[in-house]
Amino acid sequence: MAQILPLTPANIRRAALALRAGELVAFPTETVYGLGADATSDQATAAIFAAKGRPSFNPLITHLPDLEAARRIVELSPQAERLGAQFWPGALSMVAKRREDCGLSRLVSAGLPTAAVRVPAHDGARDLLRAAGVPIAAPSANPSGAISPTSAAHVAAAFGDQIAIILDGGPCTLGLESTVIDMSTETPALLRAGGVTLEALEAALDMRLEVAQSDDVAPRSPGQMHSHYAPSRPLRMNARSANPGEALLGFGPAEDCAFNLSPSGDVRAAAANLFHALHLLDKPPWTGIAVMPVPKEGLGRAINDRLRRAAAIPASPLPRSQT
Ligand code: TXA
Ligand code: MG
């Protein structure tokens, strides 16, 4: 069984040693809990794919303690430098060209010439990254396609018997994954809506951003498959009320909710509560989840993105060669 350890300096040192020894360590960030491994080790990163049941064509985000460390891994364009200076540490992952000498396992990039890099806005996470002294690949610590974890308990329920250490830093403050932006091409493109809003990125770059269509046959971001973040029960969006058996997941003033994401209608609070609520309601006696409308701008874009994928019917299983 995994050891669930409070985020103390001694435990951070212990977790850093485990990472350096090639083990998997789950750790908190401001967005969601990550399932970390030494990104320079083929064996350690392969263990992430195995534990998650993640298709090997879906690349991982590499976590670094600061912008300086990110520069050693990828080639940051002047625009990317600007985003790094403005939004890091924070909920932004930038896809950029791998440096020849970056040392990252090819598995991290799923064979692509690029890598996604992020500096998390979480002191404990950055302490761990510094102590580890190697770049850390970390997808969200959930089985591939399932609801993302925003607490150590969520991670333990999914991976308790597969990983060495879960660092417990309490609930994640932001609660939604980072925004993924492709800075490797001539025109930047938003690959995944997340904690940093499209509006903020457009203001920083002083341009309109292309938003990659996730349902493309060959998605620019391989992780943006249609069904994802999915509870095992059916989920329905833009509901006004629950059908028999359904849990009503509210937003704003509402009666008879099984859970309300934010009674006052605050999207920040709703983002922080979203995955917690989905974990909570994906249980008996409920047979489905009906979600009330959430505004579509700002952080609401990412919330609606996650809900749309959670509502999607899972695609038929992938051929074995791809998993
Ligand atoms: O907030 C987060 O980003 C969390 C925490 C732990 O940092 N991590 C996370 O990782 O959400 P994951 O693996 O669940 O999602 C990573 C996303 C996927 O959609 C993946 O396809 C995309 O980033 N991605 C990673 N590397 C890429 C690359 N080189 N090119 C395009 N997309 C990439
Ligand atoms: Mg994920």
Side-chain angles (χ1 to χ4, degrees):
M1 272 315 263
Q3 287 183 288
I4 303 181
L5 305 173
L7 201 55
T8 61
N11 288 333
I12 288 173
R13 277 197 299 279
R14 230 169 114 181
L17 285 175
L19 285 167
R20 290 193 71 105
E23 288 178 59
L24 298 183
V25 169
F27 63 97
T29 78
E30 81 281 26
T31 60
V32 299
Y33 275 71
L35 184 57
D38 177 352
T40 66
S41 158
D42 288 339
Q43 226 169 343
T45 45
I48 292 181
F49 286 91
K52 280 184 62 91
R54 181 177 178 112
S56 57
F57 59 75
N58 189 5
L60 307 173
I61 296 172
T62 297
H63 295 67
L64 291 319
D66 49 47
L67 177 58
E68 184 63 41
R71 280 188 197 119
R72 290 198 286 270
I73 303 287
V74 289
E75 290 172 17
L76 295 179
S77 66
Q79 281 179 318
E81 283 280 347
R82 195 182 325 160
L83 295 185
Q86 183 163 343
F87 295 105
W88 281 349
L92 182 69
S93 296
M94 290 198 271
V95 173
K97 196 159 171 284
R98 287 165 63 112
R99 284 192 183 283
E100 206 74 50
D101 59 352
C102 66
L104 292 190
S105 163
R106 287 272 157 203
L107 295 176
V108 170
S109 296
L112 297 170
T114 56
V117 287
R118 172 164 113 82
V119 177
H122 188 293
D123 291 343
R126 285 201 312 283
D127 287 346
L128 176 68
L129 296 171
R130 246 176 255 116
V134 286
I136 299 296
S140 51
N142 53 278
S144 185
I147 307 169
S148 300
T150 51
S151 73
H154 292 157
V155 182
F159 294 116
D161 49 2
Q162 292 179 70
I163 58 183
I165 294 175
I166 301 172
L167 285 176
D168 187 351
C172 300
T173 49
L174 185 55
L176 277 182
E177 289 87 348
S178 63
T179 301
V180 182
I181 187 169
D182 188 354
M183 300 302 292
S184 70
T185 52
E186 200 71 28
T187 32
L190 186 85
L191 301 185
R192 175 175 77 180
V196 170
T197 65
L198 177 65
E199 293 85 343
L201 290 170
E202 290 185 332
L205 293 172
D206 194 19
M207 64 183 285
R208 293 297 299 271
L209 275 174
E210 182 192 328
V211 178
Q213 284 308 310
S214 55
D215 299 342
D216 287 352
V217 180
R220 228 167 129 177
S221 182
Q224 292 301 78
M225 290 160 293
H226 198 50
S227 170
H228 211 127
Y229 313 102
S232 58
R233 285 161 177 67
L235 181 142
R236 191 160 67 80
M237 291 176 73
N238 301 319
R240 295 278 157 202
S241 59
N243 293 329
E246 279 182 337
L248 183 63
L249 180 54
F251 178 83
E255 277 167 32
D256 300 326
C257 294
F259 190 96
N260 198 319
L261 291 170
S262 170
S264 66
D266 172 11
V267 282
R268 275 210 155 264
N273 285 327
L274 179 67
F275 290 134
H276 168 68
L278 294 181
H279 278 281
L280 202 69
L281 302 181
D282 192 19
K283 290 200 179 102
W286 313 114
T287 54
I289 304 171
V291 192
M292 289 176 63
V294 176
K296 298 189 171 41
E297 318 71 54
L299 254 193
R301 175 185 295 270
I303 298 176
N304 279 283
D305 168 80
R306 303 304 185 268
L307 289 173
R308 261 196 311 279
R309 291 173 207 287
I313 311 293
S316 49
L318 293 161
R320 284 231 54 90
S321 61
Q322 297 190 329
T323 57

